[in-house]
């Protein structure tokens, strides 16, 4: 009853010999649908089982399998009848968590054909999504391989798939490999496997996965990078169960789905271990933007008390490959927060660390000079490591402005570096406010700096904004730069021929200067000409400014 | 002249969103796999904007709605499946664990303060989830939209995301040996979202009433936000960073939401926030900076464009944050920058001297509307730019001219047009970024949730307490301590 429509169709497709290459399956991940169907289509009439003893034998096997699974041993091959009973039990267990379905659960727990019917009825009535009743282990746990092999091959027999000689040979090979693989597990159980044997096992599992994919279709899987790695045998991956009505699903690779399933398992177990660290690296390689993975990685680094500098070095490589990714910068931020206390008392060590970080930041900025996250991180570094009076820092930012005078990020960093310097900045004074403690010499220097850059590119708003900001900080009047602003405007209001404006920002500033001086008429002229001719797209703004002139400030 | 104005092809945009709704998103969205709830919001919000309720006595639309009424409960269920037992919502289905994974979690006993569940609730995901629930409310049943949301637990969790400086992070995570860590950098987006979630859920319960949750420190948040205004008038993630139009929007909207009335009483969706108007240190500077984000967009082959464009590495165009320099061309001379008003295209950038991007028309436009100064935007030219240069022929909007559409820019292209009053679109609330009709739903849903929380307390908790007190004869000391709590 339950398996119908698309899912059933899919199952059949995977039962027939599949010519697709054994590696890198690229199906969008809805794997469990197939699994469900396979499980349920094997319910009846399996010629290899002896009906008389099915129930008792199945129960024994099922219990034994659970016991073994809990001891990391490979469970035996399950017959379809076992499968169905197991499914029923699982459903029962699931429903038992919901009090209203207790009756259905009790019925399901009784077993037998009636059980299945009952169970499915309960599933349907409770609208439990089909995928949710599938054992995640059916897909990726290496220990379940034998069971899956047996199960699928029995389906093959049942629907009468023609077993050619070639196909038969492959099945034999797969069987032999499975035996060897179990031998490996037994050996390991008694503690006696070396690196060579592990390597051999990885190769073996790959071959098995390839054979299975060839025999039964790529969707059967089990050949993922982690599933074939004996290191992960004891982890039962927590496979994503998409309910009906899922929005914004993304097509992604089997690799990614597998890795996430293992990640979910170790996160749930709160495991912090070297293999978890490697797992996060693997996932970050697939999707560097997953903040949870980064946070989990940080937790691992801290839990394992790994040298933070090693992690930073590893991160350097990742960052260069993923320039736009901001999770990397949060991670780095967190690492530095945790590293800094260990060197805080050693001035040389701090200076050395600051220098090496600057080199790294410089390299990254060379790739993208306006990367917001890098600049954020840079300002954090300045504050954390006290790089305020570090001449190199100011020089490095000046060099970026020299190479692109419109790099507003560099301008912003300069303002922060100069005017937030605790040597002279008053704590709590906002960036938009005058700070009497800032030495006039510093204000002079910055005014001259801005002027020298404005001359190079008069229509560059970065320079003008900076100049205004400096004047406010130094509590100076706008009129102190009237001469500069006026030099970019000639013949204002003297007719189309005579009037020329090389910088709308200069004209804008002049309007404010005139207003500041109380010369409303001239201020108005500037604003009118901006709106009429020189900066028409902001007509609304210039008009608003003009009206603001009426209102005394 | 009006005849030559480009038209918004609503049917085509709906077609694009139908594709996003009904099929898995292509693999290049993988980097957003950790933010699926946000992607869902972009999709559902766009569909809602494109399908406004029929006006007045007009006949209901003949075509089948893209999201049939029967599907709504199912979709809401999916959203609710992301709810974390410790409060808030997880950002992606891959971060939702089977229920038994949360067994050690005991939200009711307060152990949640110390025990961490396996998944992590995420602040942006939480606001998107709440918006989704409201967007997917059953027709005529706005009050039921938040049914299933654990309001109390969510608001408690929200408080814990606030840092000592008043700002907010996005996640709460226990780091081995370091205790609780508020993750997520200095990011104005989280401050905005915190204010938004608070407005959407907190309600008007007073201390002592059942269902009341202690507020986060709104003064500290406002102080933090106001302190991030930069020397040039904009707003940044923190006061030591470069101002950014997205952050300016977040700062402005957060301030306005902090004192926004719970119910919209006037016909206009924006309210006059005193926090906003009296708090901002340099309001003229902010208006100056925001209007300066607009620039005349020049096509690469425009004779007006100077060849010495600002230097910027020409990285590949597939990059999500593409900085293609031809996207920001400066004129040879300011006077040359004068295409006739009826033909010009006005784009917005997010920072000074940066490139045009669809979403900044929204961030800048909605910011100015939030400040009560919509007249500072050249709307017709901005609209022309979006429709002529950013709308894609298959529907949706792209990040940069000629680029492929994506759900993020597709959504904010529509919100930008809708907030401008584009005919045929559902009007959008500038501070909440959802249709005004959805804001009404949120208001009703909040009221219902608050009523329920209060009623539940009266019916169950206080009933049990009364019973206990009656049996014991007096109120135990610990209970008084809890009540004072």
């Amino acid at each position: 009853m339950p398996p119908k429509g698309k899912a059933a169709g899919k199952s059949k497709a995977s039962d027939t010999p599949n010519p697709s290459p054994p590696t890198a399956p690229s199906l969008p991940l809805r794997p469990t649908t197939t699994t469900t169907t396979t499980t349920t289509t094997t319910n009846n009439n399996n010629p290899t089982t002896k009906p008389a003893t099915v129930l008792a034998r199945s129960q024994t096997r099922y219990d034994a399998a659970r016991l073994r699974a809990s001891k990391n041993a490979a469970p035996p091959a399950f017959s379809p009848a076992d499968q169905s009973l197991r499914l029923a039990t699982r459903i029962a267990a699931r429903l038992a968590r919901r009090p209203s379905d207790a009756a259905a659960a009790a019925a399901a727990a009784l077993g037998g054909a009636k059980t299945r019917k009952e169970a499915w009825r309960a599933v349907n009535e409770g609208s439990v999504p089909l995928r949710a009743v599938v054992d995640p282990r059916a897909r990726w746990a290496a220990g379940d391989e034998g069971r899956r092999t047996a199960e699928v091959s029995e389906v093959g027999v049942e629907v009468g798939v023609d077993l050619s000689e070639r196909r038969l040979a492959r099945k034999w090979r797969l069987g032999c490999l499975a035996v060897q693989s179990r031998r490996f597990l037994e050996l390991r159980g008694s503690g006696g496997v070396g690196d060579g044997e592990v390597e051999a096992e990885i190769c073996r599992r790959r071959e098995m996965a390839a054979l299975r994919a060839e025999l039964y279709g790529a969707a059967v899987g089990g050949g993922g990078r982690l599933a074939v790695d004996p290191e992960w045998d004891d982890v039962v991956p927590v496979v994503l169960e998409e309910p009906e009505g899922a929005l914004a699903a993304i097509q992604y690779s089997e690799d990614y789905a597998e890795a996430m399933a293992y990640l979910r398992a170790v996160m749930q177990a709160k495991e912090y271990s070297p293999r978890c660290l490697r797992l996060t690296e693997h996932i970050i390689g697939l999707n560097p933007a997953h903040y949870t993975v980064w946070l989990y990685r940080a937790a691992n680094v801290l839990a394992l008390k790994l040298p933070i500098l090693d992690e930073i070095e590893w991160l350097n490589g990742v960052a260069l490959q993923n320039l736009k990714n901001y999770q990397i910068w949060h991670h780095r931020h967190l690492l530095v927060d945790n590293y800094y206390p260990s060197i805080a008392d050693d001035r040389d060590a701090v200076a050395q660390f600051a220098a090496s970080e600057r080199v790294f930041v410089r390299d990254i900025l060379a790739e993208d000079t306006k990367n917001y996250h890098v600049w954020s991180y840079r300002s954090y570094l300045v504050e954390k490591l006290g790089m305020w009076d570090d001449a190199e820092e100011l020089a490095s930012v000046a060099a970026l402005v020299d190479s692109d005078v419109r790099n507003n990020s560099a301008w912003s960093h300069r303002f922060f570096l100069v005017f937030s310097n605790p040597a002279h900045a008053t704590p709590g004074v906002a960036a938009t406010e005058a700070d009497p403690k800032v030495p006039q010499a510093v204000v002079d220097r910055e005014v001259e700096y801005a002027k020298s850059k404005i001359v190079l590119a008069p229509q560059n708003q970065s320079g003008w904004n900076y100049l205004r900001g400096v004047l406010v900080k130094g509590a100076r009047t706008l009129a102190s730069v009237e001469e500069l602003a006026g030099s970019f405007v000639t013949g204002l209001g003297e007719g189309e021929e005579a009037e020329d404006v090389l910088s709308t920002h200069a004209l804008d500033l002049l309007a404010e200067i005139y207003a500041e001086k109380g010369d409303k008429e001239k201020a108005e002229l500037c604003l009118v000409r901006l709106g009429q001719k020189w900066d028409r797209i902001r007509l609304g703004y210039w008009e608003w400014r003009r009206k603001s002139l009426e209102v005394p400030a | 002249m009006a005849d030559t104005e480009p038209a918004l092809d609503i049917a085509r945009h709906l077609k694009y969103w139908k594709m996003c709704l009904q099929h898995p998103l292509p693999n290049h969205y993988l980097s957003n796999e950790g933010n699926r709830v946000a992607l869902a919001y972009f999709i559902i919000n766009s569909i809602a904007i494109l399908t406004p309720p029929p006006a007045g006595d007009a006949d209901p639309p003949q075509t089948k709605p893209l999201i049939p009424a029967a599907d709504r409960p199912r979709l809401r269920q999916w959203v609710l499946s992301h709810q974390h037992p410790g409060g808030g919502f997880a950002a992606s289905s891959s971060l939702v664990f089977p229920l038994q994974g949360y067994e050690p979690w005991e939200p009711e006993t307060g152990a949640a303060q110390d025990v961490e569940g396996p998944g992590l609730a995420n602040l942006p995901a939480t606001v998107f989830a709440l918006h989704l629930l409201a967007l997917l409310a059953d027709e005529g049943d706005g009050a039921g939209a938040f049914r299933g949301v654990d309001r109390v637990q969510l608001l408690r969790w929200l408080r814990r995301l606030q840092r000592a400086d008043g700002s907010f992070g996005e996640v709460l995570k226990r780091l081995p040996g370091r205790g609780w860590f508020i993750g997520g950098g200095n990011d104005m987006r989280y401050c905005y979202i915190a204010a938004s979630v608070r407005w959407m859920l907190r309600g008007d319960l007073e201390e002592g009433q059942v269902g009341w949750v202690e507020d986060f420190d709104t003064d500290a948040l406002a102080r933090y936000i106001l302190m991030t205004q930069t020397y040039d008038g904009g707003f940044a993630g923190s006061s030591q960073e470069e101002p950014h139009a997205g952050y300016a929007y977040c700062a402005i909207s957060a301030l306005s939401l902090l004192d926004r009335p719970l119910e919209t009483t006037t016909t206009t969706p924006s309210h006059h926030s005193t926090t906003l108007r009296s708090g901002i240190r340099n309001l003229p500077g902010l208006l100056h900076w925001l209007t300066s984000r607009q620039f005349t967009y020049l096509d690469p082959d425009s004779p007006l464009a100077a060849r010495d464009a600002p230097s910027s590495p020409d990285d590949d165009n597939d990059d999500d944050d593409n900085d293609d320099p031809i996207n920001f061309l400066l004129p040879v001379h300011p006077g040359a920058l004068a295409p006739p008003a009826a033909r010009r295209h006005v784009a917005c950038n997010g920072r000074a001297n940066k490139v045009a991007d669809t979403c900044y028309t929204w961030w800048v436009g909605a910011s100015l509307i939030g400040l009560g100064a919509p007249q500072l935007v050249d709307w017709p030219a901005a609209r022309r730019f979006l429709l002529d240069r950013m709308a894609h022929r298959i529907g949706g909007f792209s990040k940069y001219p000629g680029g492929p559409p994506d759900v993020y820019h597709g959504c904010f292209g529509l919100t930008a047009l809708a907030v401008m009053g584009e005919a045929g679109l559902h009007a959008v609330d500038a501070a909440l970024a959802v249709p005004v009709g959805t804001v009404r739903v949120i208001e009703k849903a909040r009221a219902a949730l608050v009523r329920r929380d209060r009623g539940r307390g009266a019916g169950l908790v206080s009933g049990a307490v009364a019973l206990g007190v009656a049996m014991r004869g007096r109120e135990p000391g610990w209970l008084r301590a809890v009540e004072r709590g």
Side-chain angles (χ1 to χ4, degrees):
Chain A
M1 165 178 45
K4 57 184 173 190
K6 262 191 202 164
K10 240 187 213 170
S11 169
K12 270 185 197 133
S14 67
D15 292 338
T16 54
N18 191 325
S20 71
T23 50
S26 59
L27 283 178
L29 261 189
R30 297 289 175 271
T32 46
T33 312
T34 314
T35 319
T36 313
T37 326
T38 312
T39 313
T40 48
T41 46
T42 54
N43 282 351
N44 309 308
N45 306 327
N46 188 327
T48 62
T49 50
K50 298 178 184 70
T53 57
V54 157
L55 186 64
R57 200 162 52 91
S58 302
Q59 189 61 49
T60 321
R61 272 196 186 185
Y62 176 59
D63 292 340
R66 283 186 67 97
L67 192 67
R68 270 187 254 188
S70 68
K71 289 181 180 171
N72 303 335
F78 276 23
S79 75
D82 292 340
Q83 283 290 323
S84 106
L85 183 71
R86 196 165 151 284
L87 175 66
T89 317
R90 273 185 55 77
I91 294 166
R94 212 166 250 277
L95 296 179
R97 290 190 204 107
R98 307 192 311 185
S100 62
D101 293 324
L110 291 172
K114 203 176 169 196
T115 307
R116 290 196 295 273
K117 239 171 131 181
E118 281 292 303
W120 281 118
R121 191 179 58 79
V123 167
N124 287 339
E125 282 176 5
S127 298
V128 177
L130 265 192
R131 292 170 197 138
V133 298
V134 176
D135 184 351
R137 281 170 294 191
R139 182 153 181 77
W140 281 314
D144 284 6
E145 290 185 346
R147 190 186 77 207
R148 293 217 38 81
T149 310
E151 171 193 316
V152 179
S153 61
E154 279 157 8
V155 175
V157 171
E158 182 186 290
V159 299
V161 171
D162 175 31
L163 293 178
S164 66
E165 284 296 313
R166 198 158 148 268
R167 193 168 161 80
L168 200 58
R170 268 154 222 265
K171 295 195 81 173
W172 274 110
R173 172 79 183 145
L174 187 57
C176 293
L177 289 171
V179 170
Q180 287 174 23
S181 182
R182 281 197 208 156
R183 177 73 189 138
F184 166 85
L185 291 171
E186 280 168 26
L187 276 175
R188 193 180 61 172
S190 53
V193 291
D195 288 349
E197 276 127 329
V198 172
E199 280 304 308
E201 176 67 8
I202 292 178
C203 292
R204 195 178 298 128
R205 289 182 185 186
R206 287 220 177 93
E207 189 183 345
M208 287 162 68
L211 284 168
R212 268 197 305 276
E214 199 175 341
L215 284 165
Y216 313 117
V220 172
R225 177 173 161 167
L226 299 163
V228 301
D229 189 342
E231 188 186 23
W232 290 96
D233 280 358
D234 61 313
V235 175
V236 179
V238 182
V239 178
L240 175 61
E241 295 169 350
E242 286 273 11
E244 297 299 318
L247 287 167
I250 297 167
Q251 292 177 349
Y252 47 65
S253 67
E254 295 264 322
D255 260 2
Y256 183 76
E258 186 205 35
M260 285 305 288
Y262 277 85
L263 178 82
R264 284 151 58 83
V266 290
M267 274 177 60
Q268 193 167 332
K270 293 200 175 50
E271 175 180 328
Y272 302 123
S273 64
R275 73 174 177 187
C276 290
L277 206 62
R278 285 196 295 278
L279 177 61
T280 60
E281 179 170 357
H282 174 48
I283 298 176
I284 285 165
L286 297 167
N287 176 12
H290 212 307
Y291 74 97
T292 311
V293 181
W294 284 100
L295 214 44
Y296 182 62
R297 183 175 176 91
N300 270 280
V301 169
L302 296 175
L304 301 172
K305 299 191 166 46
L306 299 179
I308 288 178
L309 284 184
D310 286 0
E311 179 70 1
I312 289 179
E313 200 181 318
W314 171 79
L315 196 57
N316 289 352
V318 181
L320 277 165
Q321 287 158 26
N322 300 284
L323 288 174
K324 303 290 185 180
N325 182 285
Y326 68 99
Q327 307 301 342
I328 287 170
W329 300 97
H330 288 179
H331 189 62
R332 204 175 183 92
H333 186 134
L334 197 155
L335 292 174
V336 174
D337 268 347
N338 282 282
Y339 175 62
Y340 179 74
S342 69
I343 56 166
D345 297 331
D346 182 347
R347 283 185 62 181
D348 288 346
V350 171
Q352 203 183 341
F353 181 63
S356 71
E357 283 300 277
R358 182 161 45 235
V359 168
F360 172 68
V361 164
R362 192 195 58 203
D363 289 351
I364 294 276
L365 287 177
E367 303 288 325
D368 175 9
T369 54
K370 297 177 181 179
N371 188 315
Y372 200 87
H373 308 295
V374 182
W375 283 105
S376 286
Y377 176 70
R378 188 170 193 160
S379 68
Y380 156 78
L381 274 184
V382 166
E383 194 161 50
K384 187 84 187 173
L385 306 179
M387 294 156 78
W388 305 101
D389 294 312
D390 187 335
E392 286 275 312
E393 185 65 12
L394 193 61
S396 157
V397 175
L400 281 166
V401 173
D402 286 344
S403 71
D404 175 8
V405 75
R406 294 181 182 86
N407 184 341
N408 198 59
S409 306
W411 282 98
S412 287
H413 190 72
R414 183 181 178 98
F415 195 90
F416 159 70
L417 198 59
V418 172
F419 294 106
S420 296
N421 186 342
H424 51 241
T426 310
V429 168
T432 47
E433 292 166 346
D435 188 345
K437 277 180 73 185
V438 174
Q440 288 304 309
V442 171
V443 178
D444 287 340
R445 184 190 74 193
E446 294 307 306
V447 166
E448 288 313 310
Y449 180 79
K451 282 181 175 175
S452 71
K453 299 299 172 193
I454 285 170
V455 173
L456 295 177
Q459 191 52 21
N460 170 23
Q461 53 189 312
S462 295
W464 291 101
N465 284 347
Y466 191 84
L467 180 63
R468 284 163 174 256
V470 173
L471 294 175
V472 169
K473 267 285 160 206
R476 298 193 181 178
T477 59
L478 297 176
S480 62
V481 294
E482 182 175 350
E483 198 186 330
L484 175 79
S487 70
F488 300 107
V489 178
T490 47
L492 194 69
E494 294 168 17
E496 288 290 324
E497 291 297 310
E499 184 177 286
D500 196 20
V501 171
L502 287 172
S503 167
T504 59
H505 308 300
L507 191 52
D508 174 7
L509 184 60
L510 277 179
E512 278 194 60
I513 289 171
Y514 294 137
E516 187 183 87
K517 288 167 41 171
D519 192 342
K520 212 186 95 185
E521 209 169 294
K522 270 180 136 176
E524 196 156 3
L525 177 64
C526 296
L527 296 170
V528 166
R529 292 307 292 157
L530 276 164
Q532 279 180 349
K533 162 134 195 190
W534 299 103
D535 192 26
R536 296 182 203 178
I537 64 164
R538 265 172 283 277
L539 175 64
Y541 174 71
W542 302 124
E543 283 301 297
W544 174 79
R545 280 267 295 273
R546 207 160 63 82
K547 284 184 194 115
S548 307
L549 290 174
E550 310 292 338
V551 189
Chain B
M1 193 162 62
D3 295 340
T4 63
E5 289 292 340
L8 172 69
D9 188 342
I10 290 180
R12 189 169 299 238
H13 282 268
L14 273 173
K15 217 166 157 187
Y16 170 75
W17 292 107
K18 184 180 177 187
M19 194 167 68
C20 298
L21 176 74
Q22 296 180 344
H23 301 278
L25 297 168
N27 183 259
H28 62 252
Y29 282 95
L30 183 64
S31 63
N32 284 303
E33 200 276 311
N35 307 308
R36 265 179 63 185
V37 176
L39 300 180
Y41 158 82
F42 298 142
I43 296 169
I44 304 296
N45 196 33
S46 301
I47 292 171
I49 293 169
L50 286 163
T51 48
D57 52 352
D59 291 330
Q62 297 302 305
T63 50
K64 203 167 141 260
L66 209 42
I67 306 170
D71 282 1
R72 290 170 172 256
R74 199 165 50 85
L75 294 170
R76 286 203 307 276
Q77 203 49 47
W78 178 80
V79 175
L80 283 171
S81 76
H82 292 76
Q83 191 166 215
H84 193 277
F89 286 76
S92 179
S93 306
S94 61
L95 300 170
V96 175
F97 286 80
L99 204 59
Q100 62 269 29
Y102 296 108
E103 268 162 19
W105 189 273
E106 292 178 342
E108 293 304 321
T109 63
Q113 297 290 322
D114 302 307
V115 182
E116 183 183 48
L120 292 176
N122 172 282
L123 186 54
T126 300
V127 81
F128 292 133
L130 293 174
H131 278 320
L132 278 169
L133 290 173
L135 287 161
L136 293 166
D138 290 328
E139 200 81 26
D141 181 26
F146 289 164
R147 200 175 291 135
V149 173
D150 189 344
R151 173 183 158 275
V152 169
Q153 192 70 3
L154 195 159
L155 290 171
R156 282 187 194 149
W157 167 76
L158 178 65
R159 272 191 78 213
R160 297 175 65 212
L161 287 171
Q162 190 170 28
R163 301 192 182 93
D165 64 3
S167 71
F168 275 79
E170 64 171 333
V171 286
L172 204 55
K173 165 96 181 138
R174 223 177 217 294
L175 287 181
R178 304 294 195 282
W180 287 106
F181 170 73
I182 300 173
N186 289 323
D187 195 323
M188 192 56 72
R189 286 177 297 184
Y190 309 142
C191 297
Y192 159 60
I193 290 168
S196 195
V197 169
R198 174 183 176 273
W199 184 83
M200 287 165 82
L201 283 189
R202 191 152 191 282
D204 54 0
L205 289 178
E206 285 174 16
E207 190 166 359
Q209 285 182 293
V210 180
W212 175 83
V213 181
E214 192 178 344
D215 204 354
F216 63 69
D217 190 340
T218 51
D219 290 344
L221 176 61
R223 270 198 306 278
Y224 176 87
I225 294 172
L226 293 169
M227 196 67 188
T228 62
Q229 192 172 19
T230 52
Y231 65 88
D232 41 7
F235 276 91
S238 73
S239 59
Q240 55 199 43
E241 291 164 24
E242 186 183 5
H244 186 285
Y247 287 161
Y249 168 86
C250 289
I252 292 163
S253 302
L255 292 171
S256 83
L257 284 165
L258 283 178
D259 64 0
R260 175 165 170 156
L262 291 178
E263 309 286 334
T264 310
T265 45
T266 55
T267 45
T268 51
S270 62
H271 82 105
H272 296 282
S273 163
T274 46
T275 316
L276 192 58
R277 277 150 193 281
S278 59
I280 291 179
R281 287 184 169 79
N282 184 2
L283 190 56
L286 176 58
L287 292 170
H288 184 264
W289 185 84
L290 279 170
T291 53
S292 302
R293 302 284 50 76
Q294 302 173 86
F295 66 93
T296 303
Y297 174 77
L298 298 178
D299 283 322
D301 56 358
S302 164
L304 299 175
R307 287 297 116 190
D308 62 335
S311 67
S312 175
D314 191 2
D315 49 12
D316 72 31
N317 283 1
D318 294 332
D319 199 313
D320 194 44
D321 199 10
N322 170 48
D323 267 339
D324 192 343
I326 60 165
N327 197 350
F328 178 69
L329 289 182
L330 293 176
V332 277
H333 184 272
L337 194 56
R343 279 201 285 118
R344 67 176 168 237
H345 290 130
V346 167
C348 284
N349 57 19
R351 298 182 259 160
N353 295 324
K354 288 278 287 181
V355 299
D357 180 328
T358 295
C359 70
Y360 292 118
T361 301
W362 156 253
W363 300 124
V364 172
S367 294
L368 285 167
I369 288 172
L371 291 168
Q375 75 277 20
L376 305 194
V377 182
D378 188 348
W379 288 119
R383 176 183 183 276
R384 217 173 286 129
F385 171 71
L386 289 180
L387 293 177
D388 279 347
R389 291 292 178 272
M390 298 303 217
H392 197 273
R393 64 178 181 280
I394 67 163
F397 292 92
S398 60
K399 176 179 174 61
Y400 53 90
D406 65 78
V407 295
Y408 171 87
H409 293 94
C411 176
F412 288 118
L414 288 176
T415 55
L417 291 171
V419 89
M420 291 179 203
E422 178 76 25
L425 294 184
H426 200 147
V428 158
D429 183 289
L432 290 163
V434 288
V436 291
T438 305
V439 177
R440 297 298 92 76
V441 170
I442 292 170
E443 289 169 357
K444 284 192 194 124
R446 182 215 301 119
L449 205 52
V450 166
R451 243 190 337 268
R452 196 208 57 182
D453 279 357
R454 196 162 42 195
R456 175 203 274 166
L460 291 173
V461 178
S462 55
V465 168
L467 184 68
V469 170
M471 284 166 68
R472 253 182 89 107
R474 63 188 168 83
E475 197 176 43
W478 62 264
L479 182 61
R480 281 198 296 276
V482 168
E483 282 169 352
R484 276 200 306 273

